[in-house]
Amino acid sequence: QVQLQQWGAGLLKPSETLSLTCGVYGGSFSGYYWNWIRQSPGKGLEWIGDINNSGSTNYNPSLKSRVTISVDTSKNQFSLKLRSVTAADTAVYYCAKPNTMTSTYYYMDVWGKGTTVTVSS
Amino acid sequence: DIVMTQSPDSLAVSLGERATINCRSSQTVLYSSNKKNYLAWYQQKPGQPPKLLISWASTRESGVPDRFSGSGSGTDFTLTISSLQAEDVAVYYCQQHYGTPLTFGGGTKVEIK
């Protein structure tokens, strides 16, 4: 059974860059589109984007201008960077695995535990 | 974007009674070629990530109690808990995976009356 372990800085100042990493353990890494999702009181669950092992990405248009998702296949890890953060980016950030390799339209069947990110001056 | 609207925002149900949660999508999530509804339901308890309960609108995941059931097609969907147990207190979310960006409903909080 795949497990996802995530880590990164939890307290940022406005204008800084959020940086999180998710490690994939116990299952296949290749072939899936690995996801970042965030959850804030104001906007609920929001899909940020995904990446596959070849580095192909899809981003939510609402965040696309500030987001970069990258992959390190040698470590079975993928990362999220969100630039120029504001208080509105305060949320719990999750990494998640999709149910299928065969589509870019999927639901999530495994989630990381979440990282609380607070943006405050 | 496909907008997912859940109702009610919260509900309180007596132990052993039925809980019904609704989810409506702003456009169909029924894929005509395979007749599948691209709709999933999740349960989230405090301090935990969402847990997948139901996929394809009505397929229960392995290990999910059979008191949970999903129904509906096209744009209107329902999650039913047939006999509410104390451990079912949680927030429930629907998610469409018919189009990008993937989108979620706003959640329905289920409590014990």
Side-chain angles (χ1 to χ4, degrees):
Chain A
Q1 171 73 336
V2 170
Q3 293 188 356
L4 305 179
Q5 184 176 345
Q6 53 183 108
W7 61 90
L11 181 59
L12 297 172
K13 291 183 167 50
S15 80
E16 292 185 334
T17 296
L18 179 157
S19 182
L20 299 174
T21 298
C22 183
V24 180
Y25 304 95
S28 175
F29 186 76
S30 297
Y32 289 104
Y33 275 84
W34 299 96
N35 288 260
W36 288 102
I37 293 162
R38 71 181 184 179
Q39 184 172 32
S40 63
K43 296 195 74 175
L45 287 161
E46 182 178 27
W47 178 75
I48 299 170
D50 63 24
I51 190 167
N52 69 3
N53 58 288
S54 299
S56 176
T57 55
N58 298 285
Y59 296 132
N60 192 322
S62 66
L63 295 167
K64 188 173 184 176
S65 63
R66 298 192 292 132
V67 171
T68 300
I69 298 176
S70 59
V71 67
D72 184 341
T73 55
S74 68
K75 296 180 180 179
N76 283 7
Q77 294 174 0
F78 60 106
S79 298
L80 169 69
K81 288 192 187 301
L82 179 64
R83 297 174 291 278
S84 304
V85 299
T86 70
D89 296 310
T90 294
V92 178
Y93 287 74
Y94 294 101
C95 55
K97 171 190 166 292
N99 66 297
T100 180
M101 295 181 184
T102 59
S103 171
T104 55
Y105 303 115
Y106 44 73
Y107 52 88
M108 315 301 162
D109 61 3
V110 180
W111 296 65
K113 292 188 188 307
T115 300
T116 299
V117 175
T118 302
V119 181
S120 175
S121 55
Chain B
D1 297 7
I2 298 176
V3 177
M4 307 301 291
T5 303
Q6 286 185 234
S7 62
D9 292 337
S10 64
L11 75 161
V13 175
S14 299
L15 288 172
E17 296 300 305
R18 179 184 299 262
T20 302
I21 300 166
N22 302 302
C23 175
R24 175 168 287 175
S25 56
S26 61
Q27 64 186 76
T28 187
V29 298
L30 173 62
Y31 197 40
S32 56
S33 65
N34 61 10
K35 300 289 189 273
K36 285 189 168 186
N37 287 285
Y38 283 52
L39 189 285
W41 287 98
Y42 301 87
Q43 174 193 64
Q44 186 177 32
K45 297 181 178 179
Q48 298 183 17
K51 172 191 173 185
L52 179 65
L53 288 181
I54 287 174
S55 59
W56 308 113
S58 60
T59 302
R60 245 186 335 267
E61 293 300 296
S62 174
V64 174
D66 61 7
R67 63 181 179 272
F68 291 92
S69 63
S71 63
S73 186
T75 61
D76 290 283
F77 301 90
T78 300
L79 174 69
T80 301
I81 309 172
S82 60
S83 176
L84 190 74
Q85 304 300 303
E87 60 266 32
D88 301 334
V89 168
V91 180
Y92 293 84
Y93 296 93
C94 58
Q95 180 224 324
Q96 66 79 20
H97 52 109
Y98 181 92
T100 188
L102 306 176
T103 50
F104 295 82
T108 296
K109 186 175 185 178
V110 174
E111 300 172 306
I112 305 294
K113 185 186 292 182

